Amino acid sequence: MLSFLLLLVAFPGKALATRESSMQLLQHKMVLSGPRELRLEKAEPLDWLHFPKCGSSLINALVHLPGVCPLLGDLTLDEELLGPCWLEVFGLDYCVKLCQEEKFSCPRNTSLPHHPMVNFSAQKGHLVGMFRDPDQRILSGYHDDFNNFAAVDYIDHLEDMISDPDLDMENCTASLRGLPKVPILEFAEGWKGGMTYQLVTEHPTTQTLDPMRPRMTQADAEEAARRVREGFAFVGITEEWDLSMCLLHKMFGGACKASDFENANPSYPGKSAELDYDTSELRGWHDDVDEVVYAAALDVFRQNLIAYNVSHETCSECYRSAGRASSFEESSRKHNLSSL
Ligand SMILES: *[C@@H]1O[C@H](CO)[C@@H](O)[C@H](O)[C@H]1NC(C)=O
Ligand SMILES: *[C@@H]1O[C@H](CO)[C@@H](O)[C@H](O)[C@H]1NC(C)=O
Ligand SMILES: *[C@@H]1O[C@H](CO)[C@@H](O)[C@H](O)[C@H]1NC(C)=O
Ligand SMILES: *[C@@H]1O[C@H](CO)[C@@H](O)[C@H](O)[C@H]1NC(C)=O
Ligand SMILES: *[C@@H]1O[C@H](CO)[C@@H](O)[C@H](O)[C@H]1NC(C)=O
């Protein structure tokens, strides 16, 4: 006791830090066999259904969950580490080496950059994903000059790139860059119902980015929405990135990290998921198929925010440990949950 007091007098900050770290150690020990670990275990192997333009950066939050990819350590997957095609390179060359097979489903076929469901009844309960307002997702896809999804004859270029055995992963989609784009409404029709398509199509080699893929109906959207409600261990909302990352950790444990919040694939420098595109560009056109899926995702998300007591207030510790002290103020200015 005396020595503690002496320490307190001499190094007040240090004593506090010591006490805090032993508290953290204690909490850490309790957490090891706590509900978060069990929940994570139950969700494994995590199976990421990655819809284009909904946030590639989710990968960093997933691979850094406790025990998922132990050999990766603290490294952040991004362009700096693996080049412009970082996500494909990770999937092709590193995922199975660094991640535990029973904890994370590595992409089965990197020729399918946004693979669909493979077998819902087998994947049910393991699925994780980010969902985005469908019209925003489409506008983001259209304005993504790096991937140039809207290039004329996009699918032919994609297939050429994929079938080229010398595909230079360093240059990635370079051959698409600068090509002229189709008109925006033609692109929008091609991407309409895209989240639905990935959710309901169980064909192992379907190229979901093909604008000529089958059209989705309202019935498909209803089935896709059911899968979102019943099959996902984690549902995040791109527009609510910060709350989504905080929720992920409240559900599955692990500390929030700066890399959870890094936008690894902005459509243009400085673009963030919280900035909305001007939908007037779509002149009244609207994706009323994926709207059904997005509404289901919002429902699940909101319910989980309540169930796990997640709000910008209760996330302040998460934001702090990720070095985002100002996030609460920024986010609360732009959004609030009643406007979601
Ligand atoms: C899909 O998964 C279920 C449950 O694991 C399994 O019984 C079924 O055979 C699988 N279907 C196909 C086509 O692989
Ligand atoms: C990548 O593409 C650019 C432009 O097309 C080219 O100048 C560069 O040499 C390429 N890099 C590699 C490593 O092939
Ligand atoms: C990967 O998908 C492509 C279609 O893009 C298909 O031709 C190929 O057979 C698939 N490979 C495997 C191993 O499933
Ligand atoms: C939610 O978190 C706040 C802040 O830590 C706490 O005061 C409140 O009691 C919690 N509510 C529930 C339902 O756990
Ligand atoms: C939250 O959004 C609702 C609906 O858009 C709005 O009426 C309210 O003023 C907003 N609250 C804050 C604090 O911005």
Side-chain angles (χ1 to χ4, degrees):
M1 192 62 206
L2 183 65
S3 59
F4 177 72
L5 281 177
L6 281 175
L7 196 64
L8 196 65
V9 171
F11 307 102
K14 192 165 191 262
L16 194 63
T18 310
R19 207 167 48 128
E20 257 172 18
S21 69
S22 51
M23 281 284 287
Q24 272 166 9
L25 205 65
L26 191 70
Q27 280 164 356
H28 186 63
K29 274 192 189 135
M30 293 193 311
V31 156
L32 279 182
S33 53
R36 293 178 182 186
E37 270 60 30
L38 295 176
R39 209 176 286 121
L40 178 57
E41 215 169 279
K42 197 165 164 249
E44 288 166 348
L46 301 174
D47 194 329
W48 180 29
L49 201 58
H50 178 204
F51 307 112
K53 303 315 297 179
C54 290
S56 307
S57 321
L58 177 65
I59 188 77
N60 275 306
L62 297 177
V63 296
H64 291 127
L65 284 172
V68 170
C69 304
L71 296 174
L72 181 65
D74 272 345
L75 290 175
T76 300
L77 303 174
D78 60 10
E79 178 162 359
E80 198 185 323
L81 185 71
L82 296 173
C85 238
W86 61 274
L87 189 56
E88 288 78 3
V89 170
F90 173 71
L92 194 62
D93 295 339
Y94 295 100
C95 189
V96 291
K97 292 178 196 146
L98 302 178
C99 303
Q100 305 279 90
E101 196 185 346
E102 71 282 8
K103 297 184 184 231
F104 189 74
S105 292
C106 289
R108 297 161 187 83
N109 186 341
T110 48
S111 307
L112 304 167
H114 292 276
H115 66 80
M117 197 75 79
V118 176
N119 177 348
F120 179 66
S121 51
Q123 288 165 274
K124 193 174 170 185
H126 303 290
L127 293 157
V128 296
M130 299 298 297
F131 295 78
R132 183 173 188 176
D133 174 273
D135 298 344
Q136 290 295 322
R137 190 181 82 88
I138 286 171
L139 285 166
S140 173
Y142 190 74
H143 291 290
D144 183 339
D145 294 335
F146 178 81
N147 289 299
N148 205 0
F149 296 113
V152 172
D153 300 327
Y154 174 80
I155 198 66
D156 297 342
H157 292 289
L158 183 68
E159 266 153 21
D160 283 353
M161 274 191 311
I162 286 168
S163 61
D164 180 358
D166 300 323
L167 169 67
D168 177 9
M169 279 293 185
E170 264 182 55
N171 256 345
C172 201
T173 49
S175 63
L176 279 157
R177 251 160 274 156
L179 292 181
K181 298 185 187 212
V182 299
I184 189 159
L185 290 182
E186 181 181 331
F187 175 77
E189 278 299 326
W191 268 39
K192 179 173 175 169
M195 294 194 289
T196 299
Y197 188 67
Q198 267 177 270
L199 283 157
V200 300
T201 306
E202 295 181 44
H203 187 277
T205 60
T206 196
Q207 194 58 267
T208 58
L209 287 172
D210 186 350
M212 300 309 282
R213 63 165 168 72
R215 298 296 92 199
M216 293 290 98
T217 63
Q218 285 295 319
D220 293 322
E222 295 297 339
E223 171 60 13
R226 185 185 71 84
R227 292 178 173 202
V228 172
R229 291 179 203 278
E230 297 174 9
F232 277 69
F234 170 76
V235 166
I237 297 293
T238 308
E239 287 87 349
E240 289 292 349
W241 192 270
D242 293 1
L243 284 177
S244 300
M245 293 306 110
C246 177
L247 173 63
L248 182 81
H249 291 288
K250 292 218 190 256
M251 294 178 86
F252 298 138
C256 294
K257 291 177 189 290
S259 58
D260 297 345
F261 298 89
E262 188 178 302
N263 184 356
N265 193 15
S267 285
Y268 53 83
K271 175 72 182 74
S272 101
E274 290 180 348
L275 288 173
D276 285 348
Y277 287 96
D278 181 356
T279 51
S280 67
E281 208 179 342
L282 295 172
R283 280 168 278 149
W285 184 95
H286 168 62
D287 186 343
D288 58 0
V289 173
D290 271 356
E291 169 190 85
V292 177
V293 168
Y294 185 61
L298 280 176
D299 273 355
V300 175
F301 182 68
R302 285 197 194 104
Q303 281 165 18
N304 283 336
L305 293 186
I306 294 166
Y308 294 94
N309 197 13
V310 171
S311 65
H312 288 304
E313 282 92 342
T314 62
C315 291
S316 59
E317 183 50 43
C318 159
Y319 298 159
R320 223 188 333 271
S321 76
R324 286 178 72 83
S326 63
S327 177
F328 169 51
E329 283 152 33
E330 275 172 28
S331 301
S332 64
R333 216 178 31 244
K334 286 198 185 99
H335 296 283
N336 64 53
L337 286 177
S338 56
S339 64
L340 253 188

Short mmCIF file of all heavy atoms in Angstrom, two decimals, residues 332-333 336 338-339, ligand 5:
data_model
loop_
_atom_site.label_atom_id
_atom_site.label_comp_id
_atom_site.label_asym_id
_atom_site.label_seq_id
_atom_site.Cartn_x
_atom_site.Cartn_y
_atom_site.Cartn_z
N SER A 332 -22.03 12.60 -35.86
CA SER A 332 -23.33 13.01 -35.39
C SER A 332 -23.81 14.24 -36.14
O SER A 332 -24.99 14.50 -36.23
CB SER A 332 -23.31 13.26 -33.88
OG SER A 332 -22.46 14.33 -33.60
N ARG A 333 -22.84 15.00 -36.68
CA ARG A 333 -23.24 16.14 -37.49
C ARG A 333 -23.87 15.65 -38.79
O ARG A 333 -24.88 16.16 -39.23
CB ARG A 333 -22.04 17.01 -37.78
CG ARG A 333 -22.40 18.47 -37.80
CD ARG A 333 -21.22 19.39 -38.05
NE ARG A 333 -20.18 18.88 -38.86
CZ ARG A 333 -18.94 18.66 -38.43
NH1 ARG A 333 -18.62 18.88 -37.19
NH2 ARG A 333 -18.02 18.21 -39.26
N ASN A 336 -27.81 10.97 -38.12
CA ASN A 336 -28.26 10.45 -36.86
C ASN A 336 -29.17 9.28 -37.18
O ASN A 336 -29.64 9.14 -38.30
CB ASN A 336 -28.88 11.54 -35.99
CG ASN A 336 -30.14 12.11 -36.61
OD1 ASN A 336 -31.04 11.37 -36.95
ND2 ASN A 336 -30.18 13.42 -36.74
N SER A 338 -32.13 8.40 -36.63
CA SER A 338 -33.50 8.54 -37.08
C SER A 338 -33.57 8.85 -38.57
O SER A 338 -34.59 8.67 -39.20
CB SER A 338 -34.22 9.62 -36.29
OG SER A 338 -33.51 10.82 -36.37
N SER A 339 -32.44 9.31 -39.13
CA SER A 339 -32.47 9.62 -40.56
C SER A 339 -31.92 8.48 -41.41
O SER A 339 -31.81 8.59 -42.61
CB SER A 339 -31.69 10.91 -40.83
OG SER A 339 -30.33 10.74 -40.53
C1 LIG B 5 -31.90 13.67 -36.87
O1 LIG B 5 -32.65 13.42 -38.05
C2 LIG B 5 -33.98 13.80 -37.94
C3 LIG B 5 -34.69 13.32 -39.22
O2 LIG B 5 -33.95 13.63 -40.36
C4 LIG B 5 -34.06 15.31 -37.73
O3 LIG B 5 -35.41 15.70 -37.61
C5 LIG B 5 -33.31 15.67 -36.46
O4 LIG B 5 -33.30 17.07 -36.29
C6 LIG B 5 -31.89 15.15 -36.53
N1 LIG B 5 -31.22 15.38 -35.24
C7 LIG B 5 -30.01 15.91 -35.14
C8 LIG B 5 -29.44 16.02 -33.75
O5 LIG B 5 -29.36 16.27 -36.11
#
